[in-house]
Amino acid sequence: MKKLILGLLVASSLFGCASTAIMVKSDAVSAQPIVPISVDGKFGGFGDEGTFKIADQYSGRFSRDASKSSWFGVVGSSEGGMVASVDSKQGQHWKIQCSGEQSSFSLGGISMSDSDPFQCDVTEEGKSVGHYQITPEKSLMGSSKEAGFVTVNGTRVELAAVKKAQGSAFEVGQPLGYSFTIDGKEVAATQTNGSMTLQMLPELTQQQQDAVVVGSIASALSWRPENNDS
């Protein structure tokens, strides 16, 4: 973690504030250097495949897809998935395979939807070493919370979508980023609105940092059904 922080002091000072709305995060995480997550590929990284790099410490490729179908405008379904590889400078090589599905019903002004957890298998050299899961929970007011976890080689980190911007009293519909916690304490945050960034507490172990990075890629680059408006 120290190598990552020291190597990014210059990069973070040049990065600036590119996004319109910045996700809410703890003061401790906000005080950490901003690590850019650079994405390249089709349509400037917004297409269905591409590459990514995190401060010369992690890199990889991704391929994703999403589809929708509807029957008579009443019953519909939405699917999303992603396959990604994550390579660390320490020599780790993970493969992430993700999928999820959402069903919906709309008739006479009544609309309902139900989503299966969006899940990813994490493997290394063909062996399962971890898991990612995030589940949306809709309230009676229509808002949706998304929370889950990521595990890599026995290290577990909780995660949740953040839909409230700094200085705002209201939540937006789409995630602005993701918060990562251990024992109830926020230890990292990944901003996805605008330019993607990552901030982590310096005391994270290498294993915890790996789990946060895998969770960040699964969260930030996947096309999940509940967030697919195309």
Side-chain angles (χ1 to χ4, degrees):
M1 181 63 191
K2 290 182 180 179
K3 291 182 180 179
L4 180 61
I5 295 298
L6 292 174
L8 279 157
L9 289 176
V10 175
S12 62
S13 67
L14 297 175
F15 184 73
C17 298
S19 59
T20 303
I22 304 298
M23 64 179 281
V24 170
K25 63 193 82 165
S26 67
D27 291 340
V29 171
S30 295
Q32 304 309 312
I34 297 174
V35 181
I37 302 176
S38 59
V39 180
D40 193 15
K42 291 183 177 180
F43 307 109
F46 290 97
D48 58 2
E49 61 182 34
T51 61
F52 64 87
K53 181 179 290 187
I54 305 176
D56 294 326
Q57 297 294 315
Y58 299 88
S59 62
R61 305 185 63 86
F62 66 90
S63 176
R64 56 195 179 183
D65 59 71
S67 62
K68 278 190 173 183
S69 58
S70 177
W71 292 271
F72 310 108
V74 177
V75 179
S77 66
S78 179
E79 297 181 352
M82 182 183 73
V83 175
S85 62
V86 182
D87 303 319
S88 77
K89 194 174 182 179
Q90 287 72 32
Q92 304 289 109
H93 305 281
W94 299 284
K95 185 176 182 180
I96 308 172
Q97 293 181 287
C98 309
S99 63
E101 183 176 0
Q102 180 185 60
S103 58
S104 61
F105 174 85
S106 180
L107 182 64
I110 300 175
S111 297
M112 297 180 293
S113 63
D114 181 59
S115 296
D116 293 332
F118 187 84
Q119 303 188 69
C120 307
D121 290 325
V122 183
T123 60
E124 187 173 14
E125 297 181 350
K127 297 180 180 180
S128 178
V129 297
H131 189 73
Y132 170 95
Q133 178 174 306
I134 188 167
T135 305
E137 298 180 2
K138 286 190 176 295
S139 69
L140 294 177
M141 301 299 293
S143 61
S144 174
K145 293 184 177 181
E146 302 171 40
F149 65 90
V150 57
T151 61
V152 179
N153 291 321
T155 297
R156 177 176 173 128
V157 181
E158 306 296 324
L159 62 96
V162 178
K163 300 183 178 182
K164 182 180 290 187
Q166 295 178 8
S168 174
F170 304 99
E171 291 189 345
V172 296
Q174 300 296 328
L176 301 175
Y178 297 85
S179 172
F180 296 86
T181 60
I182 297 176
D183 295 330
K185 176 184 177 181
E186 185 175 61
V187 298
T190 299
Q191 169 87 16
T192 57
N193 185 50
S195 298
M196 288 193 292
T197 65
L198 173 63
Q199 291 172 281
M200 293 186 280
L201 297 184
E203 62 263 30
L204 287 184
T205 66
Q206 185 64 55
Q207 291 75 23
Q208 291 169 337
Q209 179 182 327
D210 291 341
V212 167
V213 167
V214 169
S216 294
I217 296 304
S219 299
L221 295 182
S222 60
W223 284 345
R224 300 205 303 281
E226 59 271 16
N227 297 325
N228 175 25
D229 297 325
S230 59

